[in-house]
Amino acid sequence: MSISHPPARQPPASRWDLDEAAAHARRAAVLASVESILGWDEQTMLPPAGGAHRADQVAAVASLAHSLRTDPAQGDRLERLAAAMEGEGKGEGEGEGGDWSANERATVLRLLRDHRKYVRLPARLVEETARACIDGQQAWVDARRRSDWKGFAPKLARIVALKREQASCQSPDLDPYDSLLDDHEPGARASDISALFDRLRPSLVPLVRACTGAPHAPLDNVLRGRFPRGAQEAFVRTVAERIGFDFNRGRLDSSEHPFCSTIGPHDCRITTRWDESYLPTA
């Protein structure tokens, strides 16, 4: 006759658990920043022929980061910490070293929320999406130069299909757009954005119509001419410094599509493109 034993009672969450959870999250964030720097390099420095290998590199790093983010031990720590913090808020017993700060509570809840999303994503999907995005970016650069939408369309369709799959995996109860929006604006929904534009539309639409229908168009002669790239770059750097951008903690580089990427603490990358005959391109 077998004797059943009750499941072992989990020890209460402690400061040690919080420290371990934070250290684990930092390791995952460092790997994610490696993926980011590979993406930045792909758009600024990578020779065109290196695209296929770069896609493999990014997919490999994305897979490693995903493994850390979905580690069951990390999930257990976060669940116990969240339960302890919730219990403390209800006046119940707290874990060893309780008395959690507001920042600690917010951090644990955000990490737990993200962990629950990550565990729903297959590693295969994470790798395929990373690879497809690099492949798509490389194809877009070439297609833009040749004005070849038809050549780029299949790459974009592939990315959209993968993002739809991601949305259905991580938040199956949400509309795909809401699921992906939640990654960037937690809790926001398409209905919130629609309501915002509904309030703005009565004022914005007449204003745009009045501008486009005005009898006199703005004179943009001052924006057209001969503007050497070196002078433009010096101007952009001066403007960036004047508004507080610290070039000891960031860079300005060139890319086909301007973007800003925060690689990590004290490392922000901004990019732009240059047109020596039309100043606003910078």
Side-chain angles (χ1 to χ4, degrees):
M1 181 179 65
S2 61
I3 300 176
S4 61
H5 297 279
R9 185 177 183 273
Q10 289 278 13
S14 66
R15 287 281 163 186
W16 181 87
D17 290 300
L18 183 63
D19 292 341
E20 284 295 299
H24 188 283
R26 288 190 194 98
R27 290 194 294 272
V30 167
L31 272 179
S33 71
V34 173
E35 183 181 352
S36 295
I37 199 67
L38 288 172
W40 169 85
D41 179 79
E42 182 262 329
Q43 296 194 54
T44 58
M45 303 287 185
L46 186 72
H53 185 60
R54 178 53 48 86
D56 289 341
Q57 290 175 314
V58 171
V61 174
S63 179
L64 290 173
H66 186 66
S67 295
L68 269 180
R69 287 166 168 164
T70 57
D71 181 2
Q74 175 74 338
D76 290 343
R77 276 192 295 267
L78 293 172
E79 293 284 1
R80 289 191 295 109
L81 283 164
M85 292 173 177
E86 182 182 8
E88 181 186 336
K90 295 178 179 178
E92 300 173 5
E94 62 188 46
E96 175 191 344
D99 192 21
W100 319 99
S101 71
N103 285 341
E104 289 167 345
R105 293 172 187 271
T107 299
V108 166
L109 291 178
R110 179 58 187 267
L111 289 174
L112 178 58
R113 172 184 175 275
D114 289 344
H115 176 82
R116 288 171 174 171
K117 277 189 173 185
Y118 290 135
V119 296
R120 299 188 189 112
L121 296 177
R124 180 269 314 164
L125 177 59
V126 172
E127 292 183 29
E128 286 186 23
T129 302
R131 185 175 284 107
C133 287
I134 295 294
D135 186 37
Q137 169 67 23
Q138 293 279 301
W140 175 81
V141 170
D142 181 61
R144 179 177 180 271
R145 290 171 178 168
R146 296 185 292 109
S147 297
D148 178 21
W149 161 251
K150 290 184 178 180
F152 172 64
K155 304 287 187 181
L156 179 59
R158 173 64 174 157
I159 294 172
V160 170
L162 289 168
K163 297 303 286 186
R164 283 184 176 275
E165 184 180 356
Q166 174 187 330
S168 65
C169 287
Q170 67 183 21
S171 302
D173 55 325
L174 295 179
D175 175 85
Y177 185 87
D178 286 344
S179 174
L180 298 175
L181 175 63
D182 194 66
D183 290 341
H184 302 279
E185 294 289 342
R189 298 294 180 262
S191 57
D192 301 326
I193 298 174
S194 295
L196 172 62
F197 280 107
D198 286 343
R199 293 196 299 272
L200 295 174
R201 186 174 291 108
S203 298
L204 289 180
V205 171
L207 175 62
V208 172
R209 286 176 177 165
C211 291
T212 57
H216 302 290
L219 298 177
D220 66 351
N221 296 346
V222 69
L223 303 176
R224 302 181 184 276
R226 175 64 180 166
F227 306 102
R229 173 174 166 170
Q232 288 191 56
E233 185 169 352
F235 173 73
V236 169
R237 289 181 66 91
T238 298
V239 171
E241 288 174 338
R242 291 288 182 89
I243 63 175
F245 190 82
D246 184 352
F247 281 96
N248 287 320
R249 295 176 172 83
R251 289 180 56 90
L252 169 66
D253 295 277
S254 303
S255 65
E256 288 289 333
H257 182 74
F259 66 93
C260 175
S261 181
T262 300
I263 305 299
H266 310 298
D267 188 356
C268 179
R269 312 292 177 96
I270 54 176
T271 72
T272 190
R273 58 175 176 241
W274 315 98
D275 185 335
E276 294 192 329
S277 63
Y278 188 54
L279 189 59
T281 301

